[in-house]
Amino acid sequence: DVCSSDLFPSHDIGPYKREFYVGAGGAQTLKFTGAVFTGTIDNVSVTALKTAAQITTAPSSVTCAFVTAERILVACGCADTNGNFDPLRVRWSDQENNQQWTPDPSNLAGSYTLSIGSRIVRGLAGKNENLIWTDGGLYRMTYVPDINVVYRFDLVGTGCGLIGPNAAAQVGGIWFWMSPSGVPGLVS
């Protein structure tokens, strides 16, 4: 199987083709053809995990989750710190630490409860922002580099929620989605 044809950055000296193969039994073969290559090659070991590991400290029940550009794991429609499910609650972990979900002055973990709609349908990280759709509205979740705030939630609109969890996409920095009323949505 070809895992990557761009194993090495193109800024190394000279044009060349490069391929990385993992053969039967995990044997590694590097193939370089073309002009000159100047650089170093390290023995890279890639291990594919076959099972996911549960994050035991994360909310016990979650409608959807995503990772922000700030490397923070966000759970939408989830249980609070007491284990009570809230379909409009948004919780996030500490930065680069998906094991820390309890807010504390020493971390960025926190939570917020949305007010429009009866449930969160989907949350997605985008190019410059995070969007969270409920069945009745749309929120913009913006990072605020302040340990006391972390994220600001702005209501973008009502009556423009999401019809289903896979009915939204971002293309070229513009969000497109289908609302429960059948009206397509657009945010740039």
Side-chain angles (χ1 to χ4, degrees):
D1 295 329
V2 176
C3 295
S4 175
S5 61
D6 291 315
L7 183 62
F8 299 99
S10 59
H11 65 270
D12 289 330
I13 297 172
Y16 54 89
K17 294 180 182 178
R18 51 253 180 225
E19 296 178 2
F20 176 65
Y21 292 90
V22 176
Q28 300 175 2
T29 303
L30 295 173
K31 175 184 171 185
F32 298 95
T33 60
V36 178
F37 169 76
T38 301
T40 60
I41 300 173
D42 295 326
N43 184 15
V44 178
S45 177
V46 178
T47 304
L49 298 176
K50 295 183 177 150
T51 58
Q54 182 179 7
I55 302 170
T56 57
T57 55
S60 57
S61 182
V62 176
T63 301
C64 64
F66 62 91
V67 178
T68 69
E70 299 80 36
R71 299 171 313 281
I72 294 174
L73 179 57
V74 177
C76 299
C78 60
D80 63 17
T81 54
N82 296 319
N84 302 312
F85 182 76
D86 182 345
L88 290 172
R89 179 171 298 274
V90 179
R91 287 183 63 193
W92 56 91
S93 71
D94 188 19
Q95 189 171 35
E96 296 184 353
N97 183 356
N98 64 14
Q99 302 295 317
Q100 180 56 265
W101 290 81
T102 304
D104 185 86
S106 65
N107 68 48
L108 297 181
S111 69
Y112 185 83
T113 302
L114 306 177
S115 59
I116 302 296
S118 63
R119 66 185 177 88
I120 293 174
V121 179
R122 183 74 186 260
L124 291 170
K127 186 175 179 180
N128 298 314
E129 63 192 350
N130 309 300
L131 293 183
I132 299 175
W133 288 267
T134 68
D135 55 355
L138 171 63
Y139 286 86
R140 180 175 285 122
M141 179 182 169
T142 308
Y143 179 69
V144 178
D146 179 347
I147 197 159
N148 297 314
V149 179
V150 185
Y151 285 105
R152 183 181 73 235
F153 291 83
D154 298 311
L155 180 62
V156 176
T158 60
C160 59
L162 191 63
I163 195 168
N166 296 322
Q170 186 183 45
V171 179
I174 300 172
W175 288 96
F176 301 89
W177 73 95
M178 183 63 67
S179 72
S181 64
V183 177
L186 171 75
V187 169
S188 59

